[in-house]
Amino acid sequence: MSSKSVALSVLACASGAAALSAGRGFLSMDAEMQPQRVAKTLMRVEDEWSAQALCSISSDAAEECSIAASSFQKSCSAIASSVVRASSGQRENVVEYMNDVCTEMEKQDRHRARCVEFGQLIAGAMKEDSYENREHFDVSSLCTRLWTRLTKEEAAGMAQQHAQEAKAAATEKSAEEAADAEEAKRHVQEQAKVEAASKQAEAEAKVAEEAEAKAKTEEEAANALEQKAKEQKVAEAKTEEEAAKALEQKAKEQKVADEKKAKEQTAKHEDASVAAEANATSAEAEQIAVVVKKVAVPVNATVAVVNATVAVVPANATVAVANATVAVVPTKATVAVAKATVAVANKTF
């Protein structure tokens, strides 16, 4: 609650404290003076006094707090004076009654302590003379002492509260700073993880790229080797084909040359044979001519050799022996006429 609100509550409830001082015999059986009811009223009044003391020491005290001390004096004086007068100035009566009232605050430790303190102050300020107490009781000094204690307690409480609040604030700040530091640390770690992952990805990409480039280079080299092998194979096949064609052409040329040579040799042999046969025929003709000269020709002979002249001519030429015609044929042909003549001559002889 703020100081201003406390001050307003104090001023608004001031009549409650005055109500406690009204009336009749303090130790009577009047319902208003029953310890239980008085304890409840006194607890409310103590709260007002604490609020007034807190209001007076607050640094941001509102204007209403300037009358807190005087309001407390009036309330405290009224209550203390009522208690003393109602007890007929008898100290023991005050002690007994205040004990009864404070006992009703058994579960309210702070209020009970204030109640006991208030009772002790009243009893301590009373004199042995009951009349003097009834007529000349120094309530002002009593309330001043109580006010001093209240302000000190509230100041201590405020300081403690401020310390607790400061501690809580420091703890909260420390927690926030720790959380911020942890968050910053986590962020740095996450950033480091991201960077590491990025570097790892880059490294893997580079390795993959290098592997791909290497594979491409190897593939290109393999393709080049394959192409070269194909070209070499084609070249070899072409060379072999050309060589085969050259060999075939050479073989053909050799065959033609051989055939030509064979023909030439054959022709040469045939010419030689023809010449030989011609020579043989010529010789035989000479022999026949000799024989014919020696042998008489029978009557009706088929062949008459008279002054026969045998001429050797080339193949297919005509040999005229006397009036007979002898055909000379190519190599290995039979000279019929000559042989026939020889045969006839042989038979004759």
Side-chain angles (χ1 to χ4, degrees):
M1 181 181 293
S2 66
S3 301
K4 183 175 182 180
S5 299
V6 171
L8 293 175
S9 299
V10 169
L11 295 176
C13 298
S15 59
L20 186 62
S21 63
R24 302 167 235 176
F26 184 71
L27 299 177
S28 68
M29 297 303 293
D30 193 314
E32 292 183 1
M33 302 306 294
Q34 290 296 320
Q36 185 177 5
R37 295 191 62 181
V38 172
K40 291 181 180 180
T41 303
L42 185 56
M43 283 192 294
R44 185 171 64 253
V45 172
E46 286 178 356
D47 289 338
E48 294 171 3
W49 289 349
S50 295
Q52 289 170 341
L54 182 61
C55 184
S56 67
I57 62 174
S58 298
S59 58
D60 58 343
E63 184 178 353
E64 292 84 352
C65 292
S66 61
I67 60 173
S70 60
S71 297
F72 169 78
Q73 283 289 345
K74 291 178 181 179
S75 176
C76 176
S77 298
I79 294 172
S81 298
S82 296
V83 170
V84 173
R85 285 196 301 270
S87 65
S88 300
Q90 300 295 322
R91 180 187 294 172
E92 59 274 14
N93 291 340
V94 171
V95 173
E96 181 182 359
Y97 182 72
M98 290 302 297
N99 284 339
D100 292 339
V101 171
C102 295
T103 300
E104 294 296 331
M105 304 177 186
E106 182 177 2
K107 296 181 180 180
Q108 302 291 331
D109 292 339
R110 186 176 66 85
H111 287 100
R112 186 172 182 275
R114 287 279 175 85
C115 178
V116 171
E117 183 181 11
F118 185 48
Q120 290 175 349
L121 285 174
I122 294 174
M126 295 177 68
K127 298 179 180 180
E128 295 295 333
D129 188 349
S130 59
Y131 173 79
E132 187 68 24
N133 291 332
R134 289 194 302 272
E135 299 300 330
H136 305 289
F137 182 65
D138 188 5
V139 70
S140 177
S141 60
L142 180 152
C143 290
T144 299
R145 288 196 298 274
L146 180 59
W147 176 253
T148 301
R149 291 185 182 182
L150 287 175
T151 53
K152 287 182 179 181
E153 290 175 1
E154 292 301 329
M158 180 183 291
Q160 184 178 4
Q161 182 179 357
H162 288 169
Q164 291 175 349
E165 291 175 353
K167 183 178 180 181
T171 301
E172 183 178 0
K173 183 178 180 181
S174 178
E176 289 178 355
E177 291 176 350
D180 292 342
E182 185 66 24
E183 178 65 19
K185 181 179 178 181
R186 187 190 65 79
H187 179 71
V188 170
Q189 291 175 345
E190 290 294 331
Q191 188 66 25
K193 288 181 180 180
V194 171
E195 292 178 357
S198 178
K199 290 181 179 179
Q200 181 67 22
E202 290 178 359
E204 292 177 354
K206 185 176 181 180
V207 170
E209 184 178 354
E210 291 176 350
E212 183 179 359
K214 183 179 179 181
K216 186 176 180 181
T217 301
E218 292 176 351
E219 182 181 1
E220 290 176 350
N223 292 336
L225 288 174
E226 184 179 359
Q227 183 64 27
K228 186 176 181 180
K230 288 181 179 179
E231 292 175 355
Q232 185 174 357
K233 187 175 181 181
V234 170
E236 290 176 353
K238 186 176 180 180
T239 301
E240 290 176 357
E241 183 180 359
E242 291 176 352
K245 287 182 179 180
L247 288 174
E248 183 180 358
Q249 182 65 27
K250 187 175 181 181
K252 287 181 179 180
E253 292 175 354
Q254 184 65 37
K255 184 178 179 181
V256 170
D258 291 342
E259 288 178 351
K260 182 178 180 181
K261 184 176 181 181
K263 286 180 179 182
E264 290 176 353
Q265 289 178 353
T266 300
K268 186 176 181 180
H269 289 163
E270 287 179 353
D271 291 343
S273 296
V274 170
E277 288 179 359
N279 292 330
T281 301
S282 177
E284 287 178 358
E286 290 178 356
Q287 289 178 2
I288 290 172
V290 172
V291 171
V292 169
K293 287 180 179 182
K294 292 180 178 182
V295 179
V297 179
V299 180
N300 299 326
T302 304
V303 180
V305 181
V306 180
N307 297 321
T309 300
V310 179
V312 179
V313 296
N316 298 322
T318 303
V319 179
V321 179
N323 295 323
T325 301
V326 179
V328 181
V329 295
T331 306
K332 296 182 181 182
T334 304
V335 182
V337 177
K339 288 183 178 182
T341 304
V342 173
V344 171
N346 289 334
K347 284 181 180 181
T348 301
F349 291 97

